[in-house]
């Protein structure tokens, strides 16, 4: 009890560092008790939030709802944590946990928005505290879009104000492996089975059975497909659907940078025609960058020579871009094609439901994937808890039809937000293809005589021209300035 009080007070102090006034309700759950139901609580600002209440989650016959999870990425592990804290039995099947074990250095950091961190707190405050302590705050500095060649800001995002107003944690980044390790430790390694890829399942009125690649099989009440972009569970549910290539290849690396330089921004997207570069401060004097270059799908993947190629592609861009590429060791630059999947009308059927990338894989342009997965996990658990608490003291009596209705309520809660994010990420890639900072205007004689010769071709026979700033940039800038505050409030704090 004393340790829990210390943790809560520590979290309160963390919030106060960013000017947040937080009123935390204390939920102390002994190991034998789990979260149950949700009660409404009104904060001092009049905002409604759902605080979690503790209670045992087994039925009168002692049986607990048994949840099987395909995939041990962020979505699978966070849902396993939510299930465990709810008193359910849980098993996670993952084909390869090398990233969690500290290998696989190509797995870069992940951005967690205030919305995801706030919901992670409701699932497990201690885990949320560990994640926030391991992460690096970026939401309290300049973030937004800039011109790639000049480095000048085009528009800035405000991640801080929405978090302060709603009294939730500030957006930050964390190493993907650190995040997974924290959650694995909380879930317990006994609940996580490595080298166990789910290859098939059968769902009936009373149970769902999963079949593993190694020949083993397990039975449960619910199967959660959290097996990512190329989800086997999704294919078995709705038929095969190939990932959709975005027309962009991503090159990424980590550069050691001057801390004075890093203080200027937390997240900056440098824009150019058919290419852009995202630079993200990940703490400890390091900058993670992602260079997105429009290339044909058939473009080969190279493991050497990428640095020189990128320096050539971005040679006339601003010093900020050229510097981070130049400071990155050649052998650490990774290359991968970028895919997403078309949205589907439903994410589940009978006793099976999808979350995270398995349900709605989206392009990484806005860094939304991890946050959307955590939000999925929380709101799906809300529906499962409500179903069990309100209708079934005997958990073994839950029918597939009742689960299916719970899944529909979950989808109704999430579909608009996820579909909007998915569409905006695709639109951003399309707009990059059209991005231009200047228009080239031809000037017939005698107009060229009125301008400085530096704007014109030296050959007299060629039609002379002048560069002027593209008017669409001004229009887009003004539109974003008007719409962005409300939109970012919705993005940052979400369905909190």
């Amino acid at each position: 009890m004393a340790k829990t009080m210390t943790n809560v007070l520590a979290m309160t102090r963390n919030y106060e560092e960013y000017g947040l006034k937080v009123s935390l309700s204390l939920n102390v759950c002994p190991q034998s008790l789990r979260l149950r139901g949700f009660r409404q609580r009104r904060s001092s600002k009049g905002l409604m939030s759902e605080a979690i209440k503790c209670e045992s989650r087994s039925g009168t016959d002692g049986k607990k709802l048994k949840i099987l999870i395909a995939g041990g990425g962020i979505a699978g592990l966070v849902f396993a944590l939510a299930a465990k804290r709810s008193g359910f039995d849980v098993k996670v099947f993952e084909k390869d946990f090398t990233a969690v074990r500290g290998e696989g250095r190509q797995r870069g950091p992940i951005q967690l928005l205030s919305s995801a961190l706030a919901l992670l707190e409701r699932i497990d405050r201690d885990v949320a505290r560990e994640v926030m302590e391991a992460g690096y705050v970026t939401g309290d500095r300049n973030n937004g879009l800039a011109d790639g060649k000049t480095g000048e800001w085009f528009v800035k995002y405000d991640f801080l104000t929405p978090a302060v107003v709603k009294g939730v944690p500030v957006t930050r980044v964390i190493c993907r492996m650190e995040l997974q390790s924290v959650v694995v430790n909380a879930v317990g390694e006994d609940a996580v089975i490595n080298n166990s890829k789910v290859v098939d399942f059968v769902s009936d009125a009373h149970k769902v059975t999963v079949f593993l690649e190694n020949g083993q099989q397990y039975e449960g009440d619910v199967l959660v497909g959290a097996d990512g972009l190329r989800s086997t569970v999704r294919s078995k549910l709705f038929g095969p659907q190939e990932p959709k290539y975005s027309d962009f290849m991503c090159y990424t690396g980590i550069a050691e940078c001057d801390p004075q330089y890093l203080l200027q921004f937390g997240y900056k997207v440098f824009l150019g025609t058919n290419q852009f570069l995202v630079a993200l401060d990940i703490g400890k004097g390091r900058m993670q960058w992602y260079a997105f270059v429009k290339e044909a799908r058939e473009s080969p993947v190279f493991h050497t020579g990428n640095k020189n190629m990128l320096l050539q592609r971005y040679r006339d861009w601003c010093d900020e871009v050229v510097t981070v590429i130049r400071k990155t060791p050649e052998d650490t630059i990774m290359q991968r094609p970028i895919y997403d999947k078309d949205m589907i009308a439903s994410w589940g059927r009978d006793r099976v439901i999808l979350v995270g990338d398995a349900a709605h894989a989206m392009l990484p342009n806005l860094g939304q994937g991890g946050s959307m997965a955590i939000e999925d996990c929380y709101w799906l658990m809300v529906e499962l808890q409500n179903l069990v608490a309100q209708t079934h003291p005997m958990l073994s009596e839950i029918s597939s039809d009742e689960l299916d209705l719970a899944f529909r309520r979950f989808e109704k809660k999430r579909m608009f937000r996820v579909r909007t994010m998915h569409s905006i990420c695709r639109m951003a890639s399309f707009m990059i293809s059209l991005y231009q900072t200047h228009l080239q205007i031809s000037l017939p004689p005698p107009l060229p005589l009125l301008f400085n010769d530096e704007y014109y071709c030296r050959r007299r026979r060629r039609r002379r021209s002048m560069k002027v700033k593209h008017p669409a940039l001004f229009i887009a800038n003004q539109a974003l300035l008007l719409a962005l505050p409300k939109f970012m409030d919705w993005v940052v704090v979400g369905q909190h």
Side-chain angles (χ1 to χ4, degrees):
M1 179 72 173
K3 181 179 178 181
T4 305
M5 282 293 295
T6 301
N7 291 338
V8 174
L9 291 174
M11 277 198 300
T12 305
R13 286 194 295 272
N14 288 340
Y15 289 143
E16 289 173 348
E17 290 179 9
Y18 301 101
L20 308 181
K21 288 188 176 181
V22 184
S23 176
L24 295 174
S25 59
L26 179 62
N27 289 323
V28 183
C29 294
Q31 201 64 17
S32 60
L33 297 180
R34 299 301 184 211
L35 310 181
R36 172 167 177 147
F38 294 85
R39 57 183 172 81
Q40 297 293 326
R41 177 175 60 84
R42 185 175 295 275
S43 73
S44 60
K45 293 183 181 293
L47 300 171
M48 298 301 292
S49 63
E50 290 176 331
I52 297 175
K53 191 176 181 180
C54 298
E55 196 171 309
S56 173
R57 300 297 291 150
S58 61
T60 56
D61 59 353
K63 181 182 182 294
K64 295 181 178 181
L65 193 72
K66 189 168 186 178
I67 297 179
L68 309 178
I69 302 173
I74 292 169
L77 291 174
V78 171
F79 192 79
L81 178 66
K84 185 174 181 179
R85 293 294 178 260
S86 300
F88 301 147
D89 282 339
V90 61
K91 286 290 181 186
V92 180
F93 307 103
E94 170 56 41
K95 64 179 180 180
D96 183 9
F97 260 111
T98 55
V100 178
R101 303 299 180 224
E103 302 168 19
R105 63 179 178 174
Q106 69 270 23
R107 303 300 297 276
I110 183 170
Q111 177 179 254
L112 295 181
L113 296 177
S114 298
S115 59
L117 291 169
L119 297 183
L120 186 60
E121 278 189 318
R122 295 183 194 170
I123 293 171
D124 190 309
R125 287 198 178 112
D126 287 340
V127 168
R129 174 182 53 79
E130 283 191 66
V131 167
M132 287 189 284
E133 288 177 353
Y136 185 72
V137 176
T138 56
D140 59 343
R141 280 173 289 147
N142 289 329
N143 298 277
L145 308 175
D147 181 77
K149 294 192 175 183
T150 66
E152 295 176 358
W153 287 101
F154 180 59
V155 66
K156 295 179 182 179
Y157 307 147
D158 185 359
F159 286 107
L160 181 62
T161 302
V164 171
V165 170
K166 296 295 177 68
V168 294
V170 181
T171 296
R172 64 197 67 204
V173 296
I174 180 173
C175 172
R176 190 180 302 266
M177 290 181 292
E178 286 188 83
L179 173 60
Q180 289 180 310
S181 295
V182 168
V183 183
V184 165
N185 291 337
V187 170
E189 296 196 7
D190 58 323
V192 179
I193 305 176
N194 196 15
N195 301 317
S196 58
K197 181 181 179 181
V198 173
V199 294
D200 203 355
F201 64 86
V202 174
S203 177
D204 60 35
H206 305 290
K207 66 181 184 300
V208 60
T209 305
V210 300
F211 302 92
L212 306 183
E213 194 173 42
N214 59 17
Q216 295 180 329
Q217 61 185 62
Y218 290 80
E219 292 182 353
D221 299 297
V222 178
L223 170 61
V224 177
D227 46 346
L229 175 69
R230 292 176 171 81
S231 169
T232 299
V233 176
R234 174 169 168 160
S235 294
K236 296 293 181 180
L237 271 180
F238 304 113
Q241 181 189 36
E242 285 298 312
K244 188 171 183 178
Y245 182 55
S246 66
D247 294 329
F248 282 88
M249 190 74 72
C250 177
Y251 301 84
T252 182
I254 297 178
E256 302 288 335
C257 291
D258 183 351
Q260 292 298 116
Y261 165 71
L262 292 173
L263 290 175
Q264 296 178 24
F265 65 83
Y267 180 92
K268 194 170 183 178
V269 183
F270 298 89
L271 303 176
T273 306
N274 291 327
Q275 64 189 57
F276 62 104
L277 185 140
V278 180
L280 179 65
D281 183 359
I282 60 174
K284 301 178 182 178
R286 299 170 301 155
M287 181 72 74
Q288 176 90 20
W289 55 268
Y290 303 87
F292 295 86
V293 178
K294 192 168 186 179
E295 295 182 6
R297 185 174 183 175
E298 295 78 16
S299 298
V301 174
F302 296 106
H303 300 290
T304 59
N306 290 325
K307 182 173 181 177
N308 289 335
M309 182 276 294
L310 291 171
L311 287 173
Q312 180 66 19
R313 287 291 297 257
Y314 292 91
R315 65 187 182 279
D316 58 347
W317 283 40
C318 62
D319 288 341
E320 291 172 301
V321 170
V322 176
T323 297
V324 293
I325 297 174
R326 184 176 290 124
K327 286 181 173 289
T328 305
E330 165 74 35
D331 61 351
T332 66
I333 297 178
M334 309 299 296
Q335 177 190 9
R336 63 187 176 96
I338 301 299
Y339 297 90
D340 69 355
K341 275 192 172 181
D342 292 333
M343 288 289 293
I344 50 180
S346 178
W347 297 331
R349 183 183 298 158
D350 300 328
R351 294 180 174 271
V352 186
I353 186 71
L354 305 174
V355 294
D357 282 352
H360 45 71
M362 60 185 68
L363 300 178
N365 301 340
L366 299 179
Q368 292 288 321
S371 295
M372 292 298 103
I374 293 174
E375 291 182 24
D376 283 353
C377 295
Y378 177 81
W379 293 112
L380 177 57
M381 187 52 61
V382 167
E383 294 302 332
L384 290 179
Q385 287 184 330
N386 287 341
L387 175 64
V388 172
Q390 294 172 11
T391 63
H392 286 283
M394 300 286 287
L395 300 185
S396 58
E397 296 177 358
I398 295 179
S399 70
S400 58
D401 288 340
E402 288 168 320
L403 280 170
D404 194 66
L405 289 174
F407 296 158
R408 300 293 80 76
R409 291 191 293 269
F410 161 66
E411 291 170 359
K412 184 177 180 180
K413 179 75 174 181
R414 296 288 297 144
M415 193 64 76
F416 175 77
R417 178 168 170 81
V418 171
R419 191 179 293 276
T420 301
M421 294 293 190
H422 188 277
S423 299
I424 290 174
C425 288
R426 277 194 174 176
M427 188 184 302
S429 289
F430 173 73
M431 295 303 292
I432 287 295
S433 301
L434 305 177
Y435 181 84
Q436 280 186 298
T437 55
H438 293 89
L439 287 176
Q440 199 84 14
I441 300 179
S442 295
L443 298 174
L447 290 179
L449 301 177
L450 303 177
F451 298 94
N452 191 308
D453 285 342
E454 67 179 344
Y455 292 112
Y456 310 110
C457 304
R458 293 181 178 179
R459 295 177 59 187
R460 299 182 64 182
R461 291 184 179 180
R462 291 181 59 186
R463 194 173 180 84
R464 298 173 180 179
S465 63
M466 180 183 70
K467 282 185 176 181
V468 296
K469 200 156 189 177
H470 203 300
L473 291 181
F474 174 78
I475 297 171
N477 178 262
Q478 295 303 307
L480 285 171
L481 288 176
L482 289 173
L484 204 58
K486 284 290 184 183
F487 176 72
M488 288 308 299
D489 182 88
W490 180 77
V491 168
V492 172
V493 299
Q495 294 169 295
H496 174 71

